[in-house]
């Protein structure tokens, strides 16, 4: 059974206004051993987060009252929640939409309709990443300059960049597209004010990301 700390089932918050999709994804993930909380839109998702801290958020983009982008931005604005990995599920599959989702704070962007096996693989990868981050909590944290905030996926990609891996190799390691890796690298260059991967790798080493 998938587990979080103390061998408890990992908890996933699913935020989507489509009741049929919610039922489908919830049943599928629960069959895999996960505990699933649900919310119909971003405001309801924030209300759930006041009572529970999940291990992962799966979020739609187009929702009433508060869309996915606004919801994730709000989550990233809370210090006690901004570490949560976020997986966007959306029918909006253009490059612009994917990039916006990643820049907003998403770690993975899947386009509907999606294969359940791919969703499960991404969930497992994100939860493993979170577990590794928790194991490292006792170690001295990286010390980026003030104002530079990286998502968990950006941090993970940055570590691979510092080790000299090419984008296609990083994509293979993370089971994502090369374009997704390129979007994250471009976003990190923008955040850090650096100009190329070589500078980014040196920056990662200087700030103890590796």
């Amino acid at each position: 059974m998938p587990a979080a700390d103390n061998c408890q089932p990992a908890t996933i918050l699913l935020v989507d206004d489509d009741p049929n999709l919610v039922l489908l994804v919830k049943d599928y993930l629960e069959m895999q051993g996960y505990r699933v909380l649900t919310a119909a839109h971003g405001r309801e998702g924030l209300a759930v987060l006041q009572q529970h801290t999940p291990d992962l958020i799966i979020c739609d983009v187009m929702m009433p009252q508060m869309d996915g982008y606004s919801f994730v931005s709000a989550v990233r604005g809370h210090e006690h929640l901004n570490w949560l990995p976020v997986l966007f599920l959306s029918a909006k599959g253009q490059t612009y939409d994917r990039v916006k989702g990643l820049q907003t704070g998403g770690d993975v962007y899947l386009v509907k309709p999606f294969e359940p096996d791919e969703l499960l693989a991404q969930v497992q990868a994100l939860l493993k990443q979170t577990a590794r981050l928790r194991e490292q909590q006792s170690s001295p944290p990286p010390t980026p300059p003030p104002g530079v905030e990286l998502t968990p996926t950006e941090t993970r990609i940055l570590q691979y960049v510092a080790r000299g891996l090419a984008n296609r190799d990083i994509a293979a390691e993370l089971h994502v597209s090369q374009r997704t890796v390129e979007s994250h690298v471009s976003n990190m260059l923008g955040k850090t004010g650096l100009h190329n991967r070589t500078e980014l790798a040196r920056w990662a080493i200087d700030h103890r990301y590796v």
Side-chain angles (χ1 to χ4, degrees):
M1 175 179 291
D5 294 340
N6 301 320
C7 297
Q8 295 298 313
T11 299
I12 297 171
L13 172 59
L14 174 60
V15 187
D16 198 300
D17 64 325
D18 183 342
N20 292 325
L21 184 138
V22 168
L23 181 62
L24 177 68
V25 174
K26 183 176 187 293
D27 284 352
Y28 179 72
L29 292 176
E30 287 180 341
M31 286 177 60
Q32 305 302 319
Y34 296 104
R35 177 183 179 224
V36 181
L37 308 174
T38 63
H41 49 74
R43 292 191 185 280
E44 189 173 318
L46 292 177
V48 173
L49 290 173
Q50 291 180 353
Q51 304 295 326
H52 306 276
T53 301
D55 300 286
L56 168 71
I57 294 173
I58 298 176
C59 182
D60 188 17
V61 171
M62 300 177 65
M63 296 182 291
Q65 298 195 36
M66 177 182 280
D67 66 17
Y69 296 142
S70 299
F71 169 65
V72 172
S73 294
V75 170
R76 295 295 184 226
H78 288 80
E79 185 175 352
H80 69 291
L81 297 173
N82 61 17
W83 60 272
L84 282 170
V86 174
L87 189 159
F88 274 120
L89 289 179
S90 177
K92 303 176 70 174
Q94 298 298 316
T95 299
Y96 168 81
D97 301 310
R98 293 172 180 268
V99 171
K100 183 176 180 180
L102 297 173
Q103 290 179 337
T104 300
D107 296 294
V108 173
Y109 193 107
L110 285 183
V111 178
K112 302 175 184 176
F114 53 87
E115 291 293 332
D117 287 347
E118 182 181 7
L119 173 64
L120 179 62
Q122 294 289 4
V123 166
Q124 291 171 336
L126 288 172
L127 290 174
K128 287 178 182 177
Q129 172 186 329
T130 303
R132 285 193 295 269
L133 290 174
R134 286 176 172 175
E135 289 174 1
Q136 295 170 1
Q137 284 181 348
S138 59
S139 302
T143 55
V148 178
E149 297 183 1
L150 303 181
T151 67
T153 295
E154 287 173 344
T155 299
R156 197 170 170 202
I157 291 174
L158 180 61
Q159 291 169 339
Y160 283 122
V161 169
R163 287 163 49 188
L165 272 69
N167 286 348
R168 64 177 179 277
D169 298 322
I170 298 173
E173 288 284 339
L174 300 182
H175 305 290
V176 299
S177 70
Q178 184 173 332
R179 180 171 292 179
T180 294
V181 175
E182 291 169 352
S183 296
H184 279 298
V185 170
S186 176
N187 198 34
M188 287 188 285
L189 290 174
K191 287 182 177 182
T192 58
L194 301 173
H195 301 92
N196 53 55
R197 286 170 56 91
T198 301
E199 291 182 3
L200 190 61
R202 186 180 303 115
W203 184 90
I205 294 170
D206 289 343
H207 294 92
R208 295 187 288 122
Y209 280 91
V210 290

